[in-house]
Amino acid sequence: MSNVTLERNPSVLFIESDPVLAHQVSLDLKESGYEPVLATDSKTGLDKAIELQPALIIIDRMLAGESGIELCAQLRTKGNRAPVVLLMARDTIEDRVACLEAGADDYFLKPYRSEDFLRLVRIYLQPETSPTEQLRFGDLVLELATRRALRNGRTIELTMKEFELLKFLMEHPREVLTRDQILENVWGYDFMGESNVIEVYIRYLRLKIEDETQKRLIQTVRGVGYVLRET
């Protein structure tokens, strides 16, 4: 009898009440080498997320009976740390802030486009780096394998997008990065319309890595962008 263990493809839980969209997304995920798991309502989605521990969770914001944002908040309350992407039909400041506050890592705007969607999925399911690889700036350390930060020995848990943003800043210390550079390198896919999404994520990063007793590291360069440097 063979002792070889077959490695499973990364599982993606898709919580969507529209059967047509659910079918299309499932086909796209399978063709791209992922293992889709479907749920049509929030309760089933929550149960499957807890039972299966998928590598990525995608939730439609407009679920019947309960919003995707409420479901995302429940997942985080129960300790689920898998990346969560919300599908949204509109892009407003209120929606983006609500996504972040619920614990979502990102969002994808409808209408559904296979190429853009799969590009986003690949960002979150890319292979892990070496367990020992780190970035350092002053007393701030970013562990690339665990996707967490440490400052003065204090562990800081980051969402996937917070990690990617901080990583980009730490890869270019003391270099002023424009908003366009950040959008292109951190989001990595077509970003439609004028958005303050960077400002929202910068604010959340500052709340996590900077307290009243520590130096501010992420500096705003008005009219240009941001820079990682000590004052």
Side-chain angles (χ1 to χ4, degrees):
M1 181 180 294
S2 173
N3 292 322
V4 175
T5 300
L6 297 178
E7 185 176 345
R8 295 182 59 188
N9 294 332
S11 60
V12 179
L13 174 59
F14 185 41
I15 307 171
E16 171 60 64
S17 54
D18 180 350
V20 176
L21 181 56
H23 179 69
Q24 180 61 57
V25 171
S26 180
L27 288 178
D28 288 341
L29 289 171
K30 282 184 179 179
E31 290 178 359
S32 298
Y34 304 112
E35 186 65 35
V37 178
L38 300 179
T40 59
D41 59 77
S42 59
K43 182 182 184 306
T44 304
L46 183 62
D47 291 342
K48 288 188 175 182
I50 295 171
E51 176 188 356
L52 302 176
Q53 295 295 308
L56 176 66
I57 301 173
I58 301 167
I59 309 172
D60 195 321
R61 190 189 190 286
M62 302 301 293
L63 289 173
E66 184 173 41
S67 75
I69 287 178
E70 291 172 331
L71 177 55
C72 179
Q74 285 187 51
L75 287 168
R76 295 312 190 212
T77 299
K78 292 183 178 296
N80 189 293
R81 301 309 305 163
V84 174
V85 175
L86 287 172
L87 292 184
M88 300 201 306
R90 61 180 187 176
D91 180 17
T92 67
I93 294 175
E94 292 77 12
D95 286 325
R96 290 193 297 270
V97 171
C99 286
L100 288 176
E101 290 182 342
D105 294 274
D106 212 333
Y107 62 90
F108 183 84
L109 289 178
K110 295 179 180 180
Y112 176 76
R113 299 175 299 279
S114 297
E115 183 178 348
D116 293 338
F117 175 78
L118 292 172
R119 191 179 301 128
L120 177 60
V121 170
R122 285 191 291 270
I123 290 173
Y124 285 96
L125 298 182
Q126 60 191 355
E128 289 189 349
T129 56
S130 166
T132 59
E133 193 172 353
Q134 297 178 335
L135 294 174
R136 290 178 176 270
F137 183 81
D139 58 1
L140 180 65
V141 178
L142 187 65
E143 296 181 343
L144 302 187
T146 61
R147 294 181 178 271
R148 66 178 183 177
L150 298 96
R151 192 168 187 191
N152 284 335
R154 177 174 62 92
T155 300
I156 305 164
E157 298 294 337
L158 302 171
T159 67
M160 185 71 73
K161 194 57 66 178
E162 289 168 348
F163 167 83
E164 294 294 341
L165 176 55
L166 184 56
K167 178 174 177 284
F168 186 56
L169 290 169
M170 293 184 71
E171 287 174 337
H172 301 84
R174 303 177 186 85
E175 178 183 340
V176 177
L177 302 171
T178 66
R179 296 182 78 262
D180 287 343
Q181 286 176 305
I182 295 172
L183 283 175
E184 180 180 351
N185 287 276
V186 176
W187 272 257
Y189 57 93
D190 294 336
F191 202 86
M192 304 299 292
E194 184 65 21
S195 171
N196 75 332
V197 67
I198 297 176
E199 287 78 2
V200 172
Y201 274 95
I202 289 287
R203 178 164 62 89
Y204 273 80
L205 261 185
R206 283 173 172 162
L207 288 172
K208 287 190 174 185
I209 69 172
E210 301 169 354
D211 61 33
E212 296 179 355
T213 65
Q214 295 172 313
K215 294 180 180 178
R216 167 157 287 188
L217 298 180
I218 303 175
Q219 310 292 332
T220 301
V221 181
R222 292 191 179 278
V224 182
Y226 297 91
V227 59
L228 188 71
R229 66 186 177 205
E230 294 180 306
T231 54

